[in-house]
Amino acid sequence: MTRFERAPAPRRAKGARTSASAAAEAKAASAPPQLDLFPVRPVVDVLDPRSVVGAQTGVEHLVRVRLRPNDAPHLIFHDRHGWYCESHGPACHTVQLARDEIK
């Protein structure tokens, strides 16, 4: 008996889908943004770095940011290393909130 072999399936190019159909699929997959009826503003407190860190500190600005009033605070430092969050580093989104408060 002879064994039949399947012909290989034709391969599609990577960009075979039209960009319009891909965009429509991506739009359908993501949910629309939800509006907050009662938005909560972050609590931003500018602190005195000399009294918190010490008299010999090189910290220029020290800011405590809470995204919601009962959340744990993010301590944002501005020193010779730049702006950064104590816990999350310079990529933390609360750093921008602190910088806006100082300006």
Side-chain angles (χ1 to χ4, degrees):
M1 279 208 225
T2 61
R3 187 172 191 191
F4 294 102
E5 292 185 22
R6 281 190 180 180
R11 294 187 179 211
R12 291 164 98 190
K14 279 191 174 182
R17 294 172 68 175
T18 63
S19 61
S21 65
E25 247 181 58
K27 188 175 181 182
S30 64
Q34 184 175 2
L35 297 175
D36 288 333
L37 293 177
F38 304 103
V40 178
R41 296 185 53 88
V43 178
V44 180
D45 300 322
V46 178
L47 306 173
D48 179 27
R50 305 274 185 248
S51 64
V52 175
V53 182
Q56 301 296 322
T57 186
V59 176
E60 296 175 31
H61 302 290
L62 179 63
V63 182
R64 180 176 51 214
V65 178
R66 290 187 180 143
L67 296 176
R68 292 179 196 86
N70 295 330
D71 282 356
H74 295 250
L75 281 177
I76 310 300
F77 292 89
H78 179 224
D79 58 9
R80 62 189 174 103
H81 301 290
W83 288 91
Y84 60 93
C85 176
E86 177 185 36
S87 303
H88 306 108
C92 183
H93 62 279
T94 58
V95 171
Q96 188 60 42
L97 294 171
R99 291 181 73 174
D100 292 342
E101 187 69 23
I102 295 296
K103 290 182 181 180

PDB file of all heavy atoms in Angstrom, residues 51-91:
ATOM      1  N   SER A  51      13.408  68.797  57.663  1.00  0.00           N
ATOM      2  CA  SER A  51      12.820  68.272  58.895  1.00  0.00           C
ATOM      3  C   SER A  51      12.520  66.775  58.800  1.00  0.00           C
ATOM      4  O   SER A  51      12.553  66.068  59.803  1.00  0.00           O
ATOM      5  CB  SER A  51      11.553  69.039  59.257  1.00  0.00           C
ATOM      6  OG  SER A  51      10.574  68.846  58.270  1.00  0.00           O
ATOM      7  N   VAL A  52      12.239  66.264  57.610  1.00  0.00           N
ATOM      8  CA  VAL A  52      11.898  64.845  57.457  1.00  0.00           C
ATOM      9  C   VAL A  52      13.144  63.984  57.318  1.00  0.00           C
ATOM     10  O   VAL A  52      13.303  62.973  58.013  1.00  0.00           O
ATOM     11  CB  VAL A  52      10.956  64.638  56.244  1.00  0.00           C
ATOM     12  CG1 VAL A  52      10.695  63.172  56.017  1.00  0.00           C
ATOM     13  CG2 VAL A  52       9.655  65.393  56.443  1.00  0.00           C
ATOM     14  N   VAL A  53      14.058  64.366  56.430  1.00  0.00           N
ATOM     15  CA  VAL A  53      15.224  63.539  56.128  1.00  0.00           C
ATOM     16  C   VAL A  53      16.401  63.884  57.040  1.00  0.00           C
ATOM     17  O   VAL A  53      17.109  63.016  57.511  1.00  0.00           O
ATOM     18  CB  VAL A  53      15.616  63.676  54.637  1.00  0.00           C
ATOM     19  CG1 VAL A  53      16.802  62.790  54.307  1.00  0.00           C
ATOM     20  CG2 VAL A  53      14.443  63.327  53.746  1.00  0.00           C
ATOM     21  N   GLY A  54      16.623  65.151  57.286  1.00  0.00           N
ATOM     22  CA  GLY A  54      17.726  65.585  58.136  1.00  0.00           C
ATOM     23  C   GLY A  54      18.342  66.865  57.614  1.00  0.00           C
ATOM     24  O   GLY A  54      18.149  67.250  56.459  1.00  0.00           O
ATOM     25  N   ALA A  55      19.089  67.523  58.476  1.00  0.00           N
ATOM     26  CA  ALA A  55      19.656  68.827  58.128  1.00  0.00           C
ATOM     27  C   ALA A  55      20.730  68.730  57.050  1.00  0.00           C
ATOM     28  O   ALA A  55      20.931  69.670  56.289  1.00  0.00           O
ATOM     29  CB  ALA A  55      20.228  69.487  59.376  1.00  0.00           C
ATOM     30  N   GLN A  56      21.430  67.627  56.955  1.00  0.00           N
ATOM     31  CA  GLN A  56      22.533  67.482  55.998  1.00  0.00           C
ATOM     32  C   GLN A  56      22.109  66.852  54.669  1.00  0.00           C
ATOM     33  O   GLN A  56      22.955  66.451  53.883  1.00  0.00           O
ATOM     34  CB  GLN A  56      23.642  66.621  56.621  1.00  0.00           C
ATOM     35  CG  GLN A  56      24.214  67.186  57.905  1.00  0.00           C
ATOM     36  CD  GLN A  56      24.908  68.520  57.668  1.00  0.00           C
ATOM     37  OE1 GLN A  56      25.560  68.710  56.647  1.00  0.00           O
ATOM     38  NE2 GLN A  56      24.751  69.442  58.599  1.00  0.00           N
ATOM     39  N   THR A  57      20.815  66.767  54.417  1.00  0.00           N
ATOM     40  CA  THR A  57      20.325  66.092  53.217  1.00  0.00           C
ATOM     41  C   THR A  57      20.578  66.897  51.946  1.00  0.00           C
ATOM     42  O   THR A  57      20.674  68.118  51.976  1.00  0.00           O
ATOM     43  CB  THR A  57      18.817  65.792  53.346  1.00  0.00           C
ATOM     44  OG1 THR A  57      18.425  65.021  52.221  1.00  0.00           O
ATOM     45  CG2 THR A  57      17.999  67.061  53.370  1.00  0.00           C
ATOM     46  N   GLY A  58      20.692  66.206  50.855  1.00  0.00           N
ATOM     47  CA  GLY A  58      20.832  66.834  49.550  1.00  0.00           C
ATOM     48  C   GLY A  58      19.514  66.861  48.792  1.00  0.00           C
ATOM     49  O   GLY A  58      19.467  67.259  47.634  1.00  0.00           O
ATOM     50  N   VAL A  59      18.430  66.452  49.447  1.00  0.00           N
ATOM     51  CA  VAL A  59      17.110  66.421  48.814  1.00  0.00           C
ATOM     52  C   VAL A  59      16.593  67.847  48.695  1.00  0.00           C
ATOM     53  O   VAL A  59      16.537  68.588  49.678  1.00  0.00           O
ATOM     54  CB  VAL A  59      16.127  65.548  49.627  1.00  0.00           C
ATOM     55  CG1 VAL A  59      14.739  65.595  49.022  1.00  0.00           C
ATOM     56  CG2 VAL A  59      16.624  64.121  49.698  1.00  0.00           C
ATOM     57  N   GLU A  60      16.236  68.250  47.478  1.00  0.00           N
ATOM     58  CA  GLU A  60      15.711  69.596  47.246  1.00  0.00           C
ATOM     59  C   GLU A  60      14.216  69.678  47.518  1.00  0.00           C
ATOM     60  O   GLU A  60      13.746  70.648  48.103  1.00  0.00           O
ATOM     61  CB  GLU A  60      15.987  70.022  45.810  1.00  0.00           C
ATOM     62  CG  GLU A  60      17.454  70.155  45.488  1.00  0.00           C
ATOM     63  CD  GLU A  60      17.684  70.460  44.023  1.00  0.00           C
ATOM     64  OE1 GLU A  60      16.813  71.124  43.405  1.00  0.00           O
ATOM     65  OE2 GLU A  60      18.719  70.030  43.496  1.00  0.00           O
ATOM     66  N   HIS A  61      13.463  68.658  47.046  1.00  0.00           N
ATOM     67  CA  HIS A  61      12.005  68.637  47.231  1.00  0.00           C
ATOM     68  C   HIS A  61      11.601  67.249  47.714  1.00  0.00           C
ATOM     69  O   HIS A  61      12.126  66.243  47.241  1.00  0.00           O
ATOM     70  CB  HIS A  61      11.275  68.932  45.924  1.00  0.00           C
ATOM     71  CG  HIS A  61      11.634  70.245  45.320  1.00  0.00           C
ATOM     72  ND1 HIS A  61      11.266  71.448  45.852  1.00  0.00           N
ATOM     73  CD2 HIS A  61      12.337  70.539  44.212  1.00  0.00           C
ATOM     74  CE1 HIS A  61      11.720  72.427  45.110  1.00  0.00           C
ATOM     75  NE2 HIS A  61      12.390  71.895  44.093  1.00  0.00           N
ATOM     76  N   LEU A  62      10.641  67.222  48.630  1.00  0.00           N
ATOM     77  CA  LEU A  62      10.083  65.974  49.127  1.00  0.00           C
ATOM     78  C   LEU A  62       8.569  66.124  49.107  1.00  0.00           C
ATOM     79  O   LEU A  62       8.019  67.062  49.697  1.00  0.00           O
ATOM     80  CB  LEU A  62      10.575  65.686  50.546  1.00  0.00           C
ATOM     81  CG  LEU A  62      10.063  64.413  51.204  1.00  0.00           C
ATOM     82  CD1 LEU A  62      10.517  63.186  50.430  1.00  0.00           C
ATOM     83  CD2 LEU A  62      10.548  64.339  52.633  1.00  0.00           C
ATOM     84  N   VAL A  63       7.901  65.211  48.403  1.00  0.00           N
ATOM     85  CA  VAL A  63       6.457  65.303  48.222  1.00  0.00           C
ATOM     86  C   VAL A  63       5.831  63.950  48.543  1.00  0.00           C
ATOM     87  O   VAL A  63       6.331  62.911  48.122  1.00  0.00           O
ATOM     88  CB  VAL A  63       6.105  65.712  46.767  1.00  0.00           C
ATOM     89  CG1 VAL A  63       4.616  65.862  46.590  1.00  0.00           C
ATOM     90  CG2 VAL A  63       6.818  66.985  46.379  1.00  0.00           C
ATOM     91  N   ARG A  64       4.718  63.989  49.297  1.00  0.00           N
ATOM     92  CA  ARG A  64       3.972  62.762  49.589  1.00  0.00           C
ATOM     93  C   ARG A  64       2.702  62.793  48.744  1.00  0.00           C
ATOM     94  O   ARG A  64       1.935  63.759  48.809  1.00  0.00           O
ATOM     95  CB  ARG A  64       3.628  62.691  51.076  1.00  0.00           C
ATOM     96  CG  ARG A  64       2.850  61.443  51.436  1.00  0.00           C
ATOM     97  CD  ARG A  64       2.585  61.318  52.913  1.00  0.00           C
ATOM     98  NE  ARG A  64       2.009  62.545  53.432  1.00  0.00           N
ATOM     99  CZ  ARG A  64       2.256  63.002  54.664  1.00  0.00           C
ATOM    100  NH1 ARG A  64       3.046  62.364  55.472  1.00  0.00           N
ATOM    101  NH2 ARG A  64       1.681  64.116  55.067  1.00  0.00           N
ATOM    102  N   VAL A  65       2.493  61.748  47.950  1.00  0.00           N
ATOM    103  CA  VAL A  65       1.338  61.682  47.044  1.00  0.00           C
ATOM    104  C   VAL A  65       0.513  60.456  47.401  1.00  0.00           C
ATOM    105  O   VAL A  65       1.037  59.344  47.499  1.00  0.00           O
ATOM    106  CB  VAL A  65       1.795  61.592  45.560  1.00  0.00           C
ATOM    107  CG1 VAL A  65       0.589  61.480  44.643  1.00  0.00           C
ATOM    108  CG2 VAL A  65       2.641  62.788  45.193  1.00  0.00           C
ATOM    109  N   ARG A  66      -0.786  60.690  47.590  1.00  0.00           N
ATOM    110  CA  ARG A  66      -1.747  59.592  47.779  1.00  0.00           C
ATOM    111  C   ARG A  66      -2.746  59.679  46.643  1.00  0.00           C
ATOM    112  O   ARG A  66      -3.376  60.718  46.445  1.00  0.00           O
ATOM    113  CB  ARG A  66      -2.464  59.719  49.115  1.00  0.00           C
ATOM    114  CG  ARG A  66      -1.572  59.444  50.272  1.00  0.00           C
ATOM    115  CD  ARG A  66      -2.367  59.418  51.547  1.00  0.00           C
ATOM    116  NE  ARG A  66      -1.460  59.148  52.642  1.00  0.00           N
ATOM    117  CZ  ARG A  66      -1.561  59.691  53.820  1.00  0.00           C
ATOM    118  NH1 ARG A  66      -2.536  60.518  54.084  1.00  0.00           N
ATOM    119  NH2 ARG A  66      -0.704  59.391  54.761  1.00  0.00           N
ATOM    120  N   LEU A  67      -2.897  58.593  45.892  1.00  0.00           N
ATOM    121  CA  LEU A  67      -3.823  58.606  44.756  1.00  0.00           C
ATOM    122  C   LEU A  67      -5.269  58.682  45.229  1.00  0.00           C
ATOM    123  O   LEU A  67      -6.111  59.293  44.597  1.00  0.00           O
ATOM    124  CB  LEU A  67      -3.596  57.381  43.877  1.00  0.00           C
ATOM    125  CG  LEU A  67      -2.215  57.346  43.225  1.00  0.00           C
ATOM    126  CD1 LEU A  67      -2.024  56.058  42.454  1.00  0.00           C
ATOM    127  CD2 LEU A  67      -2.016  58.546  42.315  1.00  0.00           C
ATOM    128  N   ARG A  68      -5.563  58.054  46.354  1.00  0.00           N
ATOM    129  CA  ARG A  68      -6.868  58.156  47.022  1.00  0.00           C
ATOM    130  C   ARG A  68      -6.583  58.449  48.489  1.00  0.00           C
ATOM    131  O   ARG A  68      -5.535  58.068  48.994  1.00  0.00           O
ATOM    132  CB  ARG A  68      -7.646  56.848  46.871  1.00  0.00           C
ATOM    133  CG  ARG A  68      -8.077  56.598  45.445  1.00  0.00           C
ATOM    134  CD  ARG A  68      -8.823  55.274  45.321  1.00  0.00           C
ATOM    135  NE  ARG A  68      -8.879  54.888  43.934  1.00  0.00           N
ATOM    136  CZ  ARG A  68      -7.932  54.213  43.279  1.00  0.00           C
ATOM    137  NH1 ARG A  68      -6.860  53.826  43.907  1.00  0.00           N
ATOM    138  NH2 ARG A  68      -8.065  53.924  42.015  1.00  0.00           N
ATOM    139  N   PRO A  69      -7.487  59.107  49.180  1.00  0.00           N
ATOM    140  CA  PRO A  69      -7.188  59.520  50.561  1.00  0.00           C
ATOM    141  C   PRO A  69      -6.771  58.393  51.501  1.00  0.00           C
ATOM    142  O   PRO A  69      -5.980  58.619  52.406  1.00  0.00           O
ATOM    143  CB  PRO A  69      -8.502  60.151  51.026  1.00  0.00           C
ATOM    144  CG  PRO A  69      -9.161  60.614  49.772  1.00  0.00           C
ATOM    145  CD  PRO A  69      -8.766  59.624  48.710  1.00  0.00           C
ATOM    146  N   ASN A  70      -7.243  57.171  51.300  1.00  0.00           N
ATOM    147  CA  ASN A  70      -6.905  56.072  52.210  1.00  0.00           C
ATOM    148  C   ASN A  70      -5.802  55.153  51.687  1.00  0.00           C
ATOM    149  O   ASN A  70      -5.482  54.155  52.319  1.00  0.00           O
ATOM    150  CB  ASN A  70      -8.149  55.242  52.530  1.00  0.00           C
ATOM    151  CG  ASN A  70      -9.182  56.042  53.293  1.00  0.00           C
ATOM    152  OD1 ASN A  70      -8.848  56.953  54.049  1.00  0.00           O
ATOM    153  ND2 ASN A  70     -10.450  55.732  53.084  1.00  0.00           N
ATOM    154  N   ASP A  71      -5.222  55.473  50.530  1.00  0.00           N
ATOM    155  CA  ASP A  71      -4.148  54.645  49.958  1.00  0.00           C
ATOM    156  C   ASP A  71      -2.819  54.907  50.666  1.00  0.00           C
ATOM    157  O   ASP A  71      -2.631  55.945  51.305  1.00  0.00           O
ATOM    158  CB  ASP A  71      -3.972  54.931  48.475  1.00  0.00           C
ATOM    159  CG  ASP A  71      -5.032  54.253  47.631  1.00  0.00           C
ATOM    160  OD1 ASP A  71      -5.853  53.513  48.194  1.00  0.00           O
ATOM    161  OD2 ASP A  71      -5.046  54.489  46.411  1.00  0.00           O
ATOM    162  N   ALA A  72      -1.909  53.960  50.506  1.00  0.00           N
ATOM    163  CA  ALA A  72      -0.553  54.147  51.030  1.00  0.00           C
ATOM    164  C   ALA A  72       0.135  55.255  50.241  1.00  0.00           C
ATOM    165  O   ALA A  72      -0.035  55.366  49.028  1.00  0.00           O
ATOM    166  CB  ALA A  72       0.240  52.846  50.905  1.00  0.00           C
ATOM    167  N   PRO A  73       0.931  56.085  50.920  1.00  0.00           N
ATOM    168  CA  PRO A  73       1.549  57.213  50.212  1.00  0.00           C
ATOM    169  C   PRO A  73       2.763  56.809  49.393  1.00  0.00           C
ATOM    170  O   PRO A  73       3.451  55.846  49.694  1.00  0.00           O
ATOM    171  CB  PRO A  73       1.960  58.146  51.348  1.00  0.00           C
ATOM    172  CG  PRO A  73       2.191  57.244  52.504  1.00  0.00           C
ATOM    173  CD  PRO A  73       1.194  56.122  52.351  1.00  0.00           C
ATOM    174  N   HIS A  74       3.020  57.571  48.352  1.00  0.00           N
ATOM    175  CA  HIS A  74       4.242  57.469  47.559  1.00  0.00           C
ATOM    176  C   HIS A  74       5.111  58.652  47.977  1.00  0.00           C
ATOM    177  O   HIS A  74       4.655  59.794  47.947  1.00  0.00           O
ATOM    178  CB  HIS A  74       3.948  57.596  46.059  1.00  0.00           C
ATOM    179  CG  HIS A  74       3.124  56.494  45.496  1.00  0.00           C
ATOM    180  ND1 HIS A  74       3.654  55.559  44.631  1.00  0.00           N
ATOM    181  CD2 HIS A  74       1.823  56.169  45.643  1.00  0.00           C
ATOM    182  CE1 HIS A  74       2.697  54.716  44.273  1.00  0.00           C
ATOM    183  NE2 HIS A  74       1.580  55.070  44.876  1.00  0.00           N
ATOM    184  N   LEU A  75       6.351  58.404  48.380  1.00  0.00           N
ATOM    185  CA  LEU A  75       7.270  59.490  48.698  1.00  0.00           C
ATOM    186  C   LEU A  75       8.093  59.801  47.459  1.00  0.00           C
ATOM    187  O   LEU A  75       8.784  58.926  46.930  1.00  0.00           O
ATOM    188  CB  LEU A  75       8.178  59.115  49.854  1.00  0.00           C
ATOM    189  CG  LEU A  75       7.549  59.218  51.234  1.00  0.00           C
ATOM    190  CD1 LEU A  75       8.549  58.748  52.289  1.00  0.00           C
ATOM    191  CD2 LEU A  75       7.111  60.626  51.527  1.00  0.00           C
ATOM    192  N   ILE A  76       8.004  61.030  46.997  1.00  0.00           N
ATOM    193  CA  ILE A  76       8.698  61.467  45.792  1.00  0.00           C
ATOM    194  C   ILE A  76       9.845  62.378  46.205  1.00  0.00           C
ATOM    195  O   ILE A  76       9.638  63.356  46.923  1.00  0.00           O
ATOM    196  CB  ILE A  76       7.750  62.228  44.843  1.00  0.00           C
ATOM    197  CG1 ILE A  76       6.463  61.450  44.608  1.00  0.00           C
ATOM    198  CG2 ILE A  76       8.451  62.557  43.540  1.00  0.00           C
ATOM    199  CD1 ILE A  76       6.644  60.081  43.999  1.00  0.00           C
ATOM    200  N   PHE A  77      11.053  62.034  45.760  1.00  0.00           N
ATOM    201  CA  PHE A  77      12.251  62.795  46.082  1.00  0.00           C
ATOM    202  C   PHE A  77      12.770  63.498  44.837  1.00  0.00           C
ATOM    203  O   PHE A  77      12.678  62.979  43.739  1.00  0.00           O
ATOM    204  CB  PHE A  77      13.364  61.850  46.581  1.00  0.00           C
ATOM    205  CG  PHE A  77      13.067  61.218  47.906  1.00  0.00           C
ATOM    206  CD1 PHE A  77      12.384  60.021  47.978  1.00  0.00           C
ATOM    207  CD2 PHE A  77      13.493  61.816  49.073  1.00  0.00           C
ATOM    208  CE1 PHE A  77      12.128  59.434  49.190  1.00  0.00           C
ATOM    209  CE2 PHE A  77      13.237  61.235  50.298  1.00  0.00           C
ATOM    210  CZ  PHE A  77      12.553  60.038  50.352  1.00  0.00           C
ATOM    211  N   HIS A  78      13.326  64.681  45.027  1.00  0.00           N
ATOM    212  CA  HIS A  78      14.053  65.378  43.972  1.00  0.00           C
ATOM    213  C   HIS A  78      15.409  65.742  44.545  1.00  0.00           C
ATOM    214  O   HIS A  78      15.511  66.558  45.466  1.00  0.00           O
ATOM    215  CB  HIS A  78      13.305  66.621  43.509  1.00  0.00           C
ATOM    216  CG  HIS A  78      14.037  67.373  42.455  1.00  0.00           C
ATOM    217  ND1 HIS A  78      14.164  68.730  42.464  1.00  0.00           N
ATOM    218  CD2 HIS A  78      14.705  66.957  41.349  1.00  0.00           C
ATOM    219  CE1 HIS A  78      14.865  69.122  41.429  1.00  0.00           C
ATOM    220  NE2 HIS A  78      15.208  68.056  40.732  1.00  0.00           N
ATOM    221  N   ASP A  79      16.441  65.084  44.039  1.00  0.00           N
ATOM    222  CA  ASP A  79      17.803  65.350  44.505  1.00  0.00           C
ATOM    223  C   ASP A  79      18.751  65.266  43.316  1.00  0.00           C
ATOM    224  O   ASP A  79      18.326  65.420  42.174  1.00  0.00           O
ATOM    225  CB  ASP A  79      18.200  64.386  45.633  1.00  0.00           C
ATOM    226  CG  ASP A  79      18.119  62.925  45.231  1.00  0.00           C
ATOM    227  OD1 ASP A  79      17.917  62.638  44.026  1.00  0.00           O
ATOM    228  OD2 ASP A  79      18.271  62.058  46.100  1.00  0.00           O
ATOM    229  N   ARG A  80      20.008  65.018  43.563  1.00  0.00           N
ATOM    230  CA  ARG A  80      20.986  64.993  42.470  1.00  0.00           C
ATOM    231  C   ARG A  80      20.737  63.865  41.470  1.00  0.00           C
ATOM    232  O   ARG A  80      21.252  63.880  40.356  1.00  0.00           O
ATOM    233  CB  ARG A  80      22.405  64.874  43.033  1.00  0.00           C
ATOM    234  CG  ARG A  80      22.644  63.610  43.818  1.00  0.00           C
ATOM    235  CD  ARG A  80      23.989  63.667  44.529  1.00  0.00           C
ATOM    236  NE  ARG A  80      24.159  62.523  45.390  1.00  0.00           N
ATOM    237  CZ  ARG A  80      24.907  61.483  45.098  1.00  0.00           C
ATOM    238  NH1 ARG A  80      25.580  61.449  43.975  1.00  0.00           N
ATOM    239  NH2 ARG A  80      24.991  60.477  45.931  1.00  0.00           N
ATOM    240  N   HIS A  81      19.933  62.887  41.849  1.00  0.00           N
ATOM    241  CA  HIS A  81      19.593  61.780  40.945  1.00  0.00           C
ATOM    242  C   HIS A  81      18.377  62.093  40.087  1.00  0.00           C
ATOM    243  O   HIS A  81      18.027  61.319  39.204  1.00  0.00           O
ATOM    244  CB  HIS A  81      19.331  60.503  41.739  1.00  0.00           C
ATOM    245  CG  HIS A  81      20.492  60.070  42.569  1.00  0.00           C
ATOM    246  ND1 HIS A  81      21.652  59.573  42.034  1.00  0.00           N
ATOM    247  CD2 HIS A  81      20.679  60.079  43.913  1.00  0.00           C
ATOM    248  CE1 HIS A  81      22.502  59.280  43.002  1.00  0.00           C
ATOM    249  NE2 HIS A  81      21.945  59.586  44.158  1.00  0.00           N
ATOM    250  N   GLY A  82      17.685  63.191  40.364  1.00  0.00           N
ATOM    251  CA  GLY A  82      16.484  63.558  39.629  1.00  0.00           C
ATOM    252  C   GLY A  82      15.242  63.271  40.458  1.00  0.00           C
ATOM    253  O   GLY A  82      15.297  63.112  41.671  1.00  0.00           O
ATOM    254  N   TRP A  83      14.112  63.221  39.781  1.00  0.00           N
ATOM    255  CA  TRP A  83      12.828  62.933  40.430  1.00  0.00           C
ATOM    256  C   TRP A  83      12.599  61.426  40.432  1.00  0.00           C
ATOM    257  O   TRP A  83      12.733  60.772  39.410  1.00  0.00           O
ATOM    258  CB  TRP A  83      11.693  63.598  39.659  1.00  0.00           C
ATOM    259  CG  TRP A  83      11.647  65.080  39.794  1.00  0.00           C
ATOM    260  CD1 TRP A  83      12.266  65.980  38.981  1.00  0.00           C
ATOM    261  CD2 TRP A  83      10.956  65.827  40.766  1.00  0.00           C
ATOM    262  NE1 TRP A  83      11.985  67.250  39.398  1.00  0.00           N
ATOM    263  CE2 TRP A  83      11.170  67.192  40.502  1.00  0.00           C
ATOM    264  CE3 TRP A  83      10.152  65.488  41.859  1.00  0.00           C
ATOM    265  CZ2 TRP A  83      10.627  68.200  41.262  1.00  0.00           C
ATOM    266  CZ3 TRP A  83       9.605  66.503  42.618  1.00  0.00           C
ATOM    267  CH2 TRP A  83       9.847  67.844  42.323  1.00  0.00           C
ATOM    268  N   TYR A  84      12.184  60.880  41.588  1.00  0.00           N
ATOM    269  CA  TYR A  84      11.887  59.444  41.653  1.00  0.00           C
ATOM    270  C   TYR A  84      11.017  59.126  42.852  1.00  0.00           C
ATOM    271  O   TYR A  84      11.004  59.841  43.854  1.00  0.00           O
ATOM    272  CB  TYR A  84      13.172  58.606  41.698  1.00  0.00           C
ATOM    273  CG  TYR A  84      14.063  58.885  42.887  1.00  0.00           C
ATOM    274  CD1 TYR A  84      13.963  58.134  44.045  1.00  0.00           C
ATOM    275  CD2 TYR A  84      14.998  59.904  42.844  1.00  0.00           C
ATOM    276  CE1 TYR A  84      14.774  58.399  45.145  1.00  0.00           C
ATOM    277  CE2 TYR A  84      15.815  60.179  43.923  1.00  0.00           C
ATOM    278  CZ  TYR A  84      15.694  59.420  45.075  1.00  0.00           C
ATOM    279  OH  TYR A  84      16.489  59.694  46.161  1.00  0.00           O
ATOM    280  N   CYS A  85      10.248  58.057  42.717  1.00  0.00           N
ATOM    281  CA  CYS A  85       9.408  57.533  43.797  1.00  0.00           C
ATOM    282  C   CYS A  85      10.273  56.598  44.637  1.00  0.00           C
ATOM    283  O   CYS A  85      11.084  55.833  44.105  1.00  0.00           O
ATOM    284  CB  CYS A  85       8.225  56.774  43.210  1.00  0.00           C
ATOM    285  SG  CYS A  85       7.171  55.964  44.431  1.00  0.00           S
ATOM    286  N   GLU A  86      10.101  56.656  45.934  1.00  0.00           N
ATOM    287  CA  GLU A  86      10.887  55.823  46.841  1.00  0.00           C
ATOM    288  C   GLU A  86      10.685  54.332  46.550  1.00  0.00           C
ATOM    289  O   GLU A  86      11.633  53.560  46.576  1.00  0.00           O
ATOM    290  CB  GLU A  86      10.483  56.119  48.290  1.00  0.00           C
ATOM    291  CG  GLU A  86      11.180  55.270  49.323  1.00  0.00           C
ATOM    292  CD  GLU A  86      10.650  55.515  50.718  1.00  0.00           C
ATOM    293  OE1 GLU A  86       9.441  55.736  50.863  1.00  0.00           O
ATOM    294  OE2 GLU A  86      11.462  55.470  51.657  1.00  0.00           O
ATOM    295  N   SER A  87       9.464  53.941  46.243  1.00  0.00           N
ATOM    296  CA  SER A  87       9.151  52.524  46.043  1.00  0.00           C
ATOM    297  C   SER A  87       9.249  52.062  44.594  1.00  0.00           C
ATOM    298  O   SER A  87       9.646  50.935  44.334  1.00  0.00           O
ATOM    299  CB  SER A  87       7.721  52.230  46.522  1.00  0.00           C
ATOM    300  OG  SER A  87       7.569  52.589  47.862  1.00  0.00           O
ATOM    301  N   HIS A  88       8.890  52.921  43.648  1.00  0.00           N
ATOM    302  CA  HIS A  88       8.751  52.490  42.262  1.00  0.00           C
ATOM    303  C   HIS A  88       9.750  53.099  41.288  1.00  0.00           C
ATOM    304  O   HIS A  88       9.752  52.735  40.115  1.00  0.00           O
ATOM    305  CB  HIS A  88       7.335  52.800  41.774  1.00  0.00           C
ATOM    306  CG  HIS A  88       6.282  52.229  42.669  1.00  0.00           C
ATOM    307  ND1 HIS A  88       5.515  53.011  43.482  1.00  0.00           N
ATOM    308  CD2 HIS A  88       5.901  50.951  42.896  1.00  0.00           C
ATOM    309  CE1 HIS A  88       4.692  52.245  44.162  1.00  0.00           C
ATOM    310  NE2 HIS A  88       4.899  50.993  43.835  1.00  0.00           N
ATOM    311  N   GLY A  89      10.552  54.041  41.736  1.00  0.00           N
ATOM    312  CA  GLY A  89      11.563  54.620  40.862  1.00  0.00           C
ATOM    313  C   GLY A  89      11.029  55.774  40.025  1.00  0.00           C
ATOM    314  O   GLY A  89       9.914  56.262  40.236  1.00  0.00           O
ATOM    315  N   PRO A  90      11.801  56.209  39.040  1.00  0.00           N
ATOM    316  CA  PRO A  90      11.422  57.389  38.248  1.00  0.00           C
ATOM    317  C   PRO A  90      10.257  57.151  37.293  1.00  0.00           C
ATOM    318  O   PRO A  90       9.652  58.107  36.809  1.00  0.00           O
ATOM    319  CB  PRO A  90      12.695  57.725  37.480  1.00  0.00           C
ATOM    320  CG  PRO A  90      13.484  56.477  37.457  1.00  0.00           C
ATOM    321  CD  PRO A  90      13.136  55.728  38.701  1.00  0.00           C
ATOM    322  N   ALA A  91       9.900  55.920  37.001  1.00  0.00           N
ATOM    323  CA  ALA A  91       8.814  55.637  36.065  1.00  0.00           C
ATOM    324  C   ALA A  91       7.432  55.673  36.714  1.00  0.00           C
ATOM    325  O   ALA A  91       6.424  55.560  36.020  1.00  0.00           O
ATOM    326  CB  ALA A  91       9.026  54.271  35.416  1.00  0.00           C
TER     327      ALA A  91
END
